[in-house]
């Protein structure tokens, strides 16, 4: 079966750095997406990785290792507004998007 | 940009009512749109994939006669929840993929919170 694992919840301090991990086991791989979803709102696109390595976009970076079936989202200089759920999603060989359950990130002052 | 507009944002209605939700891509053409449902504290559940000019593809367990999807143009898809019941109460979210490539990210509308009394 297809499976995406990410921690259910994480807590971090304002101004700090946090890394949200995602591991996946899917039938094929055509890329991995990270989305941010604030409570009661729809997801917003953060990043897309299809090649190994780190992609940096401002305070957010996303890393991929295809051989390990592993990705992480790195958030720097955390702000209170970063409190949200972060969804990992993998595009499988049939170009179906397989969604993780999301990681709820709580930022404390 | 890639703006997706979803309307209405909130619906409260009586059991047995049919509810229509619109999803529009405002600044791009979307040959493929997606309809999701999300229950509180749960992940997104794909209901169906909507392709312009053809029938929607429904996920297993989703009743196509209850959730009618029409993708009449490259910028508009509609979801009609027919004869809605309290168990249909949920957060419905549409998304649209910009461009033809499956690698393109999905851009989401703001969602519709449906409450059936």
């Amino acid at each position: 079966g297809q499976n995406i694992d990410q921690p259910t919840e994480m807590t971090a301090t304002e101004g700090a750095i946090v890394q949200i991990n995602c591991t996946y086991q899917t039938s094929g791989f055509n890329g991995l997406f990270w989305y941010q979803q604030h409570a009661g709102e729809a997801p917003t696109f953060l990043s897309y990785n299809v090649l190994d390595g780190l992609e940096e976009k401002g305070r957010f970076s996303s890393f991929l290792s295809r051989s390990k079936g592993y990705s992480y989202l790195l958030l720097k200089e955390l702000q209170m507004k970063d409190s949200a759920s972060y969804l990992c999603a993998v595009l499988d060989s049939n170009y179906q998007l397989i969604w993780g359950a999301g990681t709820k990130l709580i930022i404390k002052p | 940009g890639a703006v997706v507009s979803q309307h209405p944002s909130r619906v409260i209605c009586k059991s047995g009512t049919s509810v229509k939700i619109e999803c529009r891509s405002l600044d791009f053409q979307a040959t493929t749109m997606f309809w999701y449902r999300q229950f509180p504290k749960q992940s997104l559940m794909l209901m169906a994939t909507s392709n312009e000019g053809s029938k929607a593809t429904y996920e297993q367990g989703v009743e196509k006669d209850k959730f009618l999807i029409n993708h009449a143009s490259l910028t508009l898809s509609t979801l009609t929840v027919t004869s809605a019941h309290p168990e249909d109460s949920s957060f419905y979210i549409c998304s649209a993929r910009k461009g033809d490539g499956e690698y393109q990210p999905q851009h989401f509308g703001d969602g519709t919170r449906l409450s059936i009394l």
Side-chain angles (χ1 to χ4, degrees), chain B residues 85-106:
Chain B
H85 292 285
E87 59 266 26
D88 298 322
S89 298
S90 186
F91 189 45
Y92 291 85
I93 316 172
C94 75
S95 71
R97 195 166 57 204
K98 183 178 180 182
D100 291 333
E102 287 87 352
Y103 307 94
Q104 298 289 335
Q106 294 178 28

Side-chain angles (χ1 to χ4, degrees), chain A residues 30 33 35 37 40-43 45 48 87 91 95 97 99-101, chain B residues 36 38 43-44 59 91 93 102-106 108-111 113:
Chain A
N30 279 300
F33 295 87
Y35 282 83
Q37 185 177 24
E41 298 180 10
F45 169 71
Y48 171 67
L87 309 176
L91 202 58
Y95 298 100
L97 201 56
W99 291 89
Chain B
Y36 292 86
Q38 187 175 37
S43 188
L44 297 170
E59 295 299 301
F91 189 45
I93 316 172
E102 287 87 352
Y103 307 94
Q104 298 289 335
Q106 294 178 28
F108 288 83
D110 289 336
R113 193 161 302 281

Side-chain angles (χ1 to χ4, degrees), chain A residues 23-102:
Chain A
T23 58
Y24 61 89
Q25 294 166 320
T26 56
S27 56
F29 179 84
N30 279 300
L32 184 145
F33 295 87
W34 282 97
Y35 282 83
Q36 179 190 60
Q37 185 177 24
H38 284 98
E41 298 180 10
T44 56
F45 169 71
L46 291 178
S47 66
Y48 171 67
N49 293 66
V50 67
L51 299 177
D52 289 348
L54 186 69
E55 296 272 346
E56 297 187 70
K57 194 184 292 186
R59 293 190 298 115
F60 292 8
S61 303
S62 55
F63 172 84
L64 175 68
S65 170
R66 288 172 296 172
S67 62
K68 295 182 179 178
Y70 168 69
S71 173
Y72 67 73
L73 181 69
L74 190 71
L75 291 75
K76 302 177 184 177
E77 302 170 16
L78 285 171
Q79 301 174 10
M80 297 303 292
K81 67 178 182 179
D82 297 329
S83 293
S85 286
Y86 291 86
L87 309 176
C88 171
V90 172
L91 202 58
D92 72 8
S93 58
N94 294 319
Y95 298 100
Q96 298 293 315
L97 201 56
I98 312 300
W99 291 89

Side-chain angles (χ1 to χ4, degrees), chain B residues 70-91:
Chain B
N70 186 305
H71 194 154
S73 76
L74 286 171
T75 58
L76 173 64
S77 176
T78 61
L79 168 69
T80 302
V81 184
T82 61
S83 187
H85 292 285
E87 59 266 26
D88 298 322
S89 298
S90 186
F91 189 45

Side-chain angles (χ1 to χ4, degrees), chain B residues 49-69:
Chain B
T49 301
S50 168
N51 297 292
E52 188 268 336
S54 64
K55 291 184 179 180
T57 303
Y58 289 81
E59 295 299 301
Q60 193 172 9
V62 178
E63 300 173 56
K64 61 181 180 181
D65 294 329
K66 181 168 183 62
F67 299 99
L68 301 178
I69 292 173

